């Protein structure tokens, strides 16, 4: 398994784990159920760990695909910049989730506040994850790019819509 494959395996969990964790934490707060809140905190911690794995494999994945047709270094650089910011917020969310988990287990009176701080950080992480996931998907999935072009050998860029019309004719 190379770095690009490993990156594809681990990079989805920080996003999905954060999104599921947000829903579970909101449910735990509304239900005032510590077990549900603890489950969400564990998800955030695991998401942060997978975020570190994803960051660790990103450079190797970049080296493998940066010279592929229709990819280029600019789109990878944009994804890398977004991923670095997301990872930092995700790590802070993971640390607060750990603090929240420990505070809940030890029955500290500030446990509810730590849960709310964790939720706010998770919401920020979740919002950032959308941009990171989309920019990562755009690397190999040209059909989701805003500037949706396909490069044909020997031709300038042709829009996908024009290419489809040509295929229909």
């Amino acid at each position: 398994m190379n770095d690009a494959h490993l990156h594809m395996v681990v990079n989805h969990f920080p996003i999905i784990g954060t999104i599921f964790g947000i829903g579970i934490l909101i449910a735990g707060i509304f239900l005032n159920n510590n077990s549900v809140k603890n489950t969400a905190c564990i998800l955030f911690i695991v998401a942060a760990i997978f975020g570190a794995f994803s960051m660790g494999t990103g450079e190797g994945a970049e080296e493998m695909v940066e010279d592929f047709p229709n990819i280029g270094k600019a789109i990878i650089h944009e994804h890398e910049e977004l991923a670095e910011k997301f990872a930092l917020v995700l790590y802070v969310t993971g640390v607060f989730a750990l603090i929240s988990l420990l505070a809940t287990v030890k029955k500290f009176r500030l446990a509810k506040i730590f849960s709310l701080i964790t939720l706010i950080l998770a919401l920020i992480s979740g919002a950032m994850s959308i941009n990171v996931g989309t920019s990562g998907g755009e690397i190999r999935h040209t059909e989701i790019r805003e500037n949706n072009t396909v490069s044909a050998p020997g031709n300038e860029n042709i829009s996908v819509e024009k290419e489809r019309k040509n295929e229909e004719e």
Side-chain angles (χ1 to χ4, degrees):
M1 186 179 299
N2 59 38
D3 276 348
H5 186 207
L6 195 55
H7 187 68
M8 292 300 298
V9 170
V10 300
N11 71 7
H12 294 91
F13 195 83
I15 296 169
I16 295 167
T18 299
I19 292 167
F20 282 144
I22 289 168
I24 293 169
L25 184 56
I26 289 171
I29 290 171
F30 279 124
L31 296 172
N32 199 25
N33 186 320
N34 287 339
S35 295
V36 174
K37 287 191 275 188
N38 291 347
T39 301
C41 288
I42 291 169
L43 262 176
F44 293 134
I45 294 165
V46 172
I49 291 168
F50 271 82
F53 288 147
S54 186
M55 291 300 292
T57 59
E59 194 67 36
E62 175 185 4
E63 295 299 319
M64 294 189 77
V65 302
E66 68 186 348
D67 294 323
F68 283 12
N70 297 325
I71 293 180
K73 294 177 180 160
I75 195 164
I76 294 173
H77 180 71
E78 178 186 347
H79 173 62
E80 184 178 11
E81 292 295 315
L82 291 169
E84 288 171 353
K85 292 172 186 153
F86 170 59
L88 289 175
V89 175
L90 189 63
Y91 300 153
V92 172
T93 303
V95 168
F96 267 91
L98 179 61
I99 293 168
S100 181
L101 179 67
L102 293 173
T104 301
V105 169
K106 298 284 186 180
K107 298 184 191 242
F108 290 154
R109 58 187 166 98
L110 295 176
K112 287 183 181 183
I113 292 177
F114 285 126
S115 292
L116 291 173
I117 292 170
T118 301
L119 177 60
I120 291 166
L121 289 168
L123 288 168
I124 294 167
S125 295
M128 293 176 80
S129 75
I130 294 167
N131 292 331
V132 172
T134 300
S135 70
E138 288 174 347
I139 292 172
R140 291 292 294 192
H141 295 281
T142 57
E143 71 275 10
I144 66 170
R145 292 182 189 168
E146 192 169 304
N147 182 8
N148 199 348
T149 60
V150 175
S151 178
N155 296 333
E156 66 256 11
N157 288 336
I158 303 169
S159 76
V160 172
E161 194 170 308
K162 286 181 183 176
E163 185 177 68
R164 284 189 199 129
K165 286 180 183 178
N166 290 339
E167 288 175 2
E168 290 173 2
E169 293 174 353

